[in-house]
Amino acid sequence: MEFTEAYKQAGPCCFSPNSRYIAVAVDYRLVIRDTLSFKVVQLFSCLDKISYIEWANDSEYILCGLNKRPMIQAWSLTQPEWTCKIDEGPAGIAYSRWSPDSRHILTTSDFQLRLTVWSLLNTACVHVQGPKHCSKGVSFTKDGKYAVICTRCDCKDYVNLLSCHTWEIMGAFAVDTLDLADIEWSPDDSAIVIWDAPLEFKVLIYSPDGRCLSKYQAYESGLGVKSVSWSPCGQYLAVGSYDQMLRVLNHLTWKTFAEFMHLSTVRGPCCAAVFKEVDEPLHLNMSELCLSDEFLQGNSVELIPFPFLKDVSEGHFRVMYDVTEVPISLPFQKPPADKPNPKQGIGLMSWSKDSRYIYTRNDSMPTALWIWDIRHLELAAILVQKDPIRAAAWDPTCTRLVLCTGNSHLYMWTPSGAYCVSNPLPQFNITDLKWNSDGSCLLLKDKESFCCASVPLFPESSEYSSDD
């Protein structure tokens, strides 16, 4: 892997959908860099500090949210003189997003008073009253023709189906939720999944015309659903819950066909490979060292310290993975019973591109990443880190997983093994990472800087561990 130099950032950073550009927020400035040369191709000045940014799907436009001022600004890469500013006045703007056609912006006002669709073509706008959430509760079909927007009226949750061509409400239906948490179209646009707030375990599958296809409730007492994710193929629906279990439903009967437990002690029989991060000290091989004749004869000889002697004396280490046998006990943090939102349950999960693997993190065991094989319905691997896992992401082109833990290393897993990669930049601790769309480059974020790493198209090694 090759790393670029570090560049300044003071907020969100992300690749454009076509992978040609990187947008970087530096206080009130929006810097657009070319991904090949990393030269600045555009520089835009906003009216205040940039809180979040989002590219349009065509990579031609980009919007900037300014939380300190209730407004957003949008810019065009092909027409730098073109500007757009949206201000809702006293209603404010809590969140904004692009529509799939890249020519409309959806904004949600403060206190969820209304959701507004703004057109960049004719400055027209459409209002939807009472959206359920600010940043959640909105989902688009993969073909970009339809949208569902969750609303709440008279203490009841509703789903509104809109056409992304006219933005007219084509239909609305009430849903059987106590407090709707979020909604998402299936990858084939044939079904809609809705799940309830954590106080009640409830997952509902609806057809676009409002028919309830299935209602799934694993248990009644206790905190419920924490995360939900469709597989890219659309055949599986993964549901992570506060009881530290991952349940997978099939798209034919909407019944569970797999339940995976996350126990603090993993025992056999188990076919999973357990990779544990360890520090291997750098040892100095002195077997070939000898004293010169001048030293033996008592002549004055100046001793020059070697740099590697200093490294060894200061206790430098090489980070690597050690393949561990089961049984193994994983670090476990019991959440306090008197505080809300316990750090427990499946808070992080994502499918691989081929829908064969899914990784999960149990928030009460934040240093362990579990990788499950859906084809064989078994645990494929466990990555046990020294520090809590900050971010993890699948390669969008192949079965390769990369994660970071807030230190200077990257950790990668493939079905053939796992390895560690050291970032050569000094004082650069990786706190977040993102892939570009073609899987050739990683964007790595530190607290006040970012860099990029070029990634080979295929894993560099099939060994279970490698040096930095």
Short mmCIF file of all heavy atoms in Angstrom, two decimals, residues 181 194-204 216-219 222-229 238-243 247 346 349:
data_model
loop_
_atom_site.label_atom_id
_atom_site.label_comp_id
_atom_site.label_asym_id
_atom_site.label_seq_id
_atom_site.Cartn_x
_atom_site.Cartn_y
_atom_site.Cartn_z
N ALA A 181 -38.69 3.74 14.17
CA ALA A 181 -37.29 4.13 14.25
C ALA A 181 -36.72 4.50 12.89
O ALA A 181 -36.04 5.51 12.76
CB ALA A 181 -36.46 3.01 14.88
N ILE A 194 -39.58 -1.80 8.07
CA ILE A 194 -39.77 -0.77 9.10
C ILE A 194 -39.50 -1.42 10.44
O ILE A 194 -39.92 -2.57 10.68
CB ILE A 194 -41.22 -0.21 9.06
CG1 ILE A 194 -41.50 0.46 7.70
CG2 ILE A 194 -41.46 0.77 10.20
CD1 ILE A 194 -42.97 0.79 7.50
N TRP A 195 -38.79 -0.75 11.30
CA TRP A 195 -38.56 -1.30 12.63
C TRP A 195 -38.87 -0.26 13.69
O TRP A 195 -38.79 0.95 13.46
CB TRP A 195 -37.17 -1.87 12.79
CG TRP A 195 -36.01 -0.96 12.58
CD1 TRP A 195 -35.28 -0.31 13.53
CD2 TRP A 195 -35.41 -0.60 11.31
NE1 TRP A 195 -34.27 0.42 12.96
CE2 TRP A 195 -34.32 0.26 11.60
CE3 TRP A 195 -35.68 -0.91 9.99
CZ2 TRP A 195 -33.52 0.80 10.60
CZ3 TRP A 195 -34.88 -0.37 9.00
CH2 TRP A 195 -33.82 0.47 9.31
N ASP A 196 -39.24 -0.78 14.85
CA ASP A 196 -39.69 0.06 15.95
C ASP A 196 -38.51 0.54 16.79
O ASP A 196 -37.39 0.06 16.67
CB ASP A 196 -40.67 -0.71 16.83
CG ASP A 196 -41.85 0.16 17.27
OD1 ASP A 196 -41.63 1.37 17.47
OD2 ASP A 196 -42.96 -0.37 17.40
N ALA A 197 -38.81 1.50 17.66
CA ALA A 197 -37.81 2.02 18.59
C ALA A 197 -37.39 0.91 19.55
O ALA A 197 -38.06 -0.13 19.68
CB ALA A 197 -38.37 3.21 19.35
N PRO A 198 -36.25 1.09 20.25
CA PRO A 198 -35.72 0.00 21.09
C PRO A 198 -36.64 -0.48 22.20
O PRO A 198 -36.42 -1.58 22.73
CB PRO A 198 -34.44 0.60 21.67
CG PRO A 198 -34.03 1.66 20.70
CD PRO A 198 -35.30 2.22 20.18
N LEU A 199 -37.63 0.28 22.58
CA LEU A 199 -38.49 -0.15 23.68
C LEU A 199 -39.34 -1.37 23.32
O LEU A 199 -39.88 -2.03 24.22
CB LEU A 199 -39.40 1.00 24.11
CG LEU A 199 -38.71 2.18 24.81
CD1 LEU A 199 -39.72 3.24 25.19
CD2 LEU A 199 -37.94 1.71 26.03
N GLU A 200 -39.49 -1.67 22.04
CA GLU A 200 -40.29 -2.82 21.63
C GLU A 200 -39.64 -3.48 20.42
O GLU A 200 -39.32 -2.81 19.44
CB GLU A 200 -41.72 -2.41 21.30
CG GLU A 200 -42.62 -3.58 20.96
CD GLU A 200 -44.07 -3.16 20.77
OE1 GLU A 200 -44.34 -1.96 20.91
OE2 GLU A 200 -44.91 -4.03 20.50
N PHE A 201 -39.44 -4.79 20.49
CA PHE A 201 -38.87 -5.53 19.36
C PHE A 201 -39.97 -5.75 18.33
O PHE A 201 -40.89 -6.54 18.54
CB PHE A 201 -38.30 -6.88 19.83
CG PHE A 201 -37.41 -7.53 18.80
CD1 PHE A 201 -36.07 -7.76 19.08
CD2 PHE A 201 -37.90 -7.93 17.57
CE1 PHE A 201 -35.23 -8.37 18.14
CE2 PHE A 201 -37.08 -8.53 16.62
CZ PHE A 201 -35.75 -8.75 16.91
N LYS A 202 -39.85 -5.07 17.19
CA LYS A 202 -40.83 -5.25 16.13
C LYS A 202 -40.20 -4.87 14.79
O LYS A 202 -39.70 -3.76 14.63
CB LYS A 202 -42.08 -4.41 16.39
CG LYS A 202 -43.22 -4.69 15.41
CD LYS A 202 -44.43 -3.83 15.72
CE LYS A 202 -45.06 -4.22 17.04
NZ LYS A 202 -46.32 -3.43 17.28
N VAL A 203 -40.23 -5.82 13.86
CA VAL A 203 -39.77 -5.58 12.49
C VAL A 203 -40.93 -5.89 11.56
O VAL A 203 -41.49 -7.00 11.59
CB VAL A 203 -38.55 -6.46 12.13
CG1 VAL A 203 -38.13 -6.23 10.68
CG2 VAL A 203 -37.39 -6.16 13.07
N LEU A 204 -41.30 -4.92 10.72
CA LEU A 204 -42.45 -5.05 9.84
C LEU A 204 -42.00 -4.97 8.39
O LEU A 204 -41.17 -4.13 8.03
CB LEU A 204 -43.47 -3.94 10.12
CG LEU A 204 -43.99 -3.85 11.56
CD1 LEU A 204 -44.77 -2.56 11.77
CD2 LEU A 204 -44.87 -5.06 11.87
N TYR A 216 -42.37 -9.48 12.47
CA TYR A 216 -41.42 -10.33 13.19
C TYR A 216 -41.12 -9.73 14.56
O TYR A 216 -40.79 -8.54 14.67
CB TYR A 216 -40.12 -10.48 12.41
CG TYR A 216 -39.08 -11.29 13.15
CD1 TYR A 216 -39.27 -12.64 13.40
CD2 TYR A 216 -37.91 -10.70 13.60
CE1 TYR A 216 -38.33 -13.38 14.08
CE2 TYR A 216 -36.95 -11.43 14.28
CZ TYR A 216 -37.16 -12.77 14.52
OH TYR A 216 -36.23 -13.50 15.20
N GLN A 217 -41.27 -10.55 15.58
CA GLN A 217 -41.00 -10.14 16.96
C GLN A 217 -40.31 -11.30 17.67
O GLN A 217 -40.93 -12.32 17.96
CB GLN A 217 -42.29 -9.74 17.68
CG GLN A 217 -42.06 -9.10 19.03
CD GLN A 217 -43.35 -8.53 19.62
OE1 GLN A 217 -44.44 -8.88 19.20
NE2 GLN A 217 -43.21 -7.65 20.60
N ALA A 218 -39.00 -11.15 17.92
CA ALA A 218 -38.24 -12.25 18.52
C ALA A 218 -38.58 -12.45 19.98
O ALA A 218 -38.57 -13.59 20.47
CB ALA A 218 -36.75 -11.98 18.35
N TYR A 219 -38.84 -11.38 20.70
CA TYR A 219 -39.20 -11.47 22.11
C TYR A 219 -39.99 -10.22 22.48
O TYR A 219 -40.04 -9.23 21.73
CB TYR A 219 -37.97 -11.64 23.00
CG TYR A 219 -36.88 -10.61 22.77
CD1 TYR A 219 -36.89 -9.36 23.39
CD2 TYR A 219 -35.82 -10.88 21.90
CE1 TYR A 219 -35.90 -8.42 23.18
CE2 TYR A 219 -34.82 -9.95 21.68
CZ TYR A 219 -34.86 -8.73 22.32
OH TYR A 219 -33.88 -7.80 22.10
N GLY A 222 -37.80 -6.51 27.26
CA GLY A 222 -36.42 -6.09 27.07
C GLY A 222 -36.27 -5.17 25.87
O GLY A 222 -37.17 -5.03 25.04
N LEU A 223 -35.11 -4.53 25.78
CA LEU A 223 -34.83 -3.66 24.65
C LEU A 223 -34.76 -4.48 23.36
O LEU A 223 -34.31 -5.61 23.36
CB LEU A 223 -33.50 -2.92 24.87
CG LEU A 223 -33.48 -1.93 26.05
CD1 LEU A 223 -32.09 -1.32 26.21
CD2 LEU A 223 -34.52 -0.84 25.85
N GLY A 224 -35.21 -3.87 22.25
CA GLY A 224 -35.40 -4.62 21.02
C GLY A 224 -34.35 -4.40 19.96
O GLY A 224 -33.16 -4.62 20.17
N VAL A 225 -34.77 -3.91 18.80
CA VAL A 225 -33.93 -3.81 17.61
C VAL A 225 -32.94 -2.65 17.75
O VAL A 225 -33.31 -1.55 18.17
CB VAL A 225 -34.79 -3.62 16.35
CG1 VAL A 225 -33.92 -3.46 15.11
CG2 VAL A 225 -35.75 -4.79 16.19
N LYS A 226 -31.70 -2.91 17.38
CA LYS A 226 -30.67 -1.87 17.41
C LYS A 226 -30.14 -1.53 16.02
O LYS A 226 -29.75 -0.39 15.77
CB LYS A 226 -29.51 -2.30 18.31
CG LYS A 226 -28.52 -1.19 18.60
CD LYS A 226 -27.56 -1.54 19.71
CE LYS A 226 -26.71 -0.33 20.10
NZ LYS A 226 -25.80 -0.61 21.23
N SER A 227 -30.12 -2.50 15.11
CA SER A 227 -29.63 -2.23 13.76
C SER A 227 -30.29 -3.21 12.79
O SER A 227 -30.60 -4.35 13.15
CB SER A 227 -28.10 -2.37 13.69
OG SER A 227 -27.68 -3.62 14.20
N VAL A 228 -30.49 -2.74 11.55
CA VAL A 228 -31.12 -3.54 10.50
C VAL A 228 -30.37 -3.29 9.20
O VAL A 228 -29.96 -2.16 8.92
CB VAL A 228 -32.61 -3.18 10.31
CG1 VAL A 228 -33.21 -3.94 9.14
CG2 VAL A 228 -33.39 -3.47 11.58
N SER A 229 -30.16 -4.35 8.40
CA SER A 229 -29.42 -4.19 7.15
C SER A 229 -29.86 -5.23 6.13
O SER A 229 -29.89 -6.43 6.42
CB SER A 229 -27.91 -4.32 7.41
OG SER A 229 -27.17 -4.21 6.21
N ALA A 238 -30.82 -8.76 7.82
CA ALA A 238 -30.14 -8.97 9.09
C ALA A 238 -30.71 -8.01 10.14
O ALA A 238 -30.88 -6.82 9.87
CB ALA A 238 -28.64 -8.74 8.94
N VAL A 239 -30.98 -8.54 11.32
CA VAL A 239 -31.54 -7.75 12.42
C VAL A 239 -30.65 -7.96 13.64
O VAL A 239 -30.53 -9.08 14.16
CB VAL A 239 -32.99 -8.18 12.74
CG1 VAL A 239 -33.54 -7.34 13.89
CG2 VAL A 239 -33.87 -8.05 11.51
N GLY A 240 -30.02 -6.88 14.09
CA GLY A 240 -29.21 -6.92 15.30
C GLY A 240 -29.99 -6.32 16.46
O GLY A 240 -30.65 -5.29 16.31
N SER A 241 -29.89 -6.93 17.62
CA SER A 241 -30.72 -6.49 18.75
C SER A 241 -29.89 -6.34 20.01
O SER A 241 -28.72 -6.71 20.08
CB SER A 241 -31.86 -7.49 18.97
OG SER A 241 -31.37 -8.81 19.04
N TYR A 242 -30.55 -5.81 21.04
CA TYR A 242 -29.88 -5.56 22.32
C TYR A 242 -29.59 -6.83 23.11
O TYR A 242 -28.84 -6.78 24.08
CB TYR A 242 -30.73 -4.61 23.17
CG TYR A 242 -30.59 -3.16 22.79
CD1 TYR A 242 -31.40 -2.59 21.81
CD2 TYR A 242 -29.64 -2.35 23.42
CE1 TYR A 242 -31.27 -1.26 21.47
CE2 TYR A 242 -29.51 -1.01 23.08
CZ TYR A 242 -30.33 -0.47 22.10
OH TYR A 242 -30.19 0.85 21.75
N ASP A 243 -30.18 -7.95 22.71
CA ASP A 243 -29.89 -9.20 23.41
C ASP A 243 -28.62 -9.86 22.89
O ASP A 243 -28.39 -11.05 23.15
CB ASP A 243 -31.08 -10.16 23.31
CG ASP A 243 -31.31 -10.65 21.89
OD1 ASP A 243 -30.77 -10.03 20.96
OD2 ASP A 243 -32.03 -11.66 21.71
N ARG A 247 -29.95 -11.96 13.94
CA ARG A 247 -30.93 -12.84 13.32
C ARG A 247 -31.06 -12.48 11.85
O ARG A 247 -31.11 -11.30 11.51
CB ARG A 247 -32.29 -12.72 14.03
CG ARG A 247 -32.24 -13.14 15.50
CD ARG A 247 -33.55 -12.81 16.21
NE ARG A 247 -33.57 -13.33 17.57
CZ ARG A 247 -33.09 -12.68 18.63
NH1 ARG A 247 -32.53 -11.48 18.49
NH2 ARG A 247 -33.15 -13.21 19.84
N ILE A 346 -25.93 -5.39 19.04
CA ILE A 346 -25.28 -5.31 17.74
C ILE A 346 -25.43 -3.88 17.21
O ILE A 346 -26.42 -3.54 16.55
CB ILE A 346 -25.87 -6.33 16.75
CG1 ILE A 346 -25.98 -7.71 17.42
CG2 ILE A 346 -25.02 -6.40 15.50
CD1 ILE A 346 -24.68 -8.22 18.00
N MET A 349 -22.86 -3.34 11.92
CA MET A 349 -22.85 -4.52 11.06
C MET A 349 -22.96 -4.08 9.61
O MET A 349 -23.49 -3.02 9.30
CB MET A 349 -23.99 -5.48 11.41
CG MET A 349 -25.39 -4.98 11.12
SD MET A 349 -26.60 -6.27 11.52
CE MET A 349 -28.12 -5.43 11.13
#
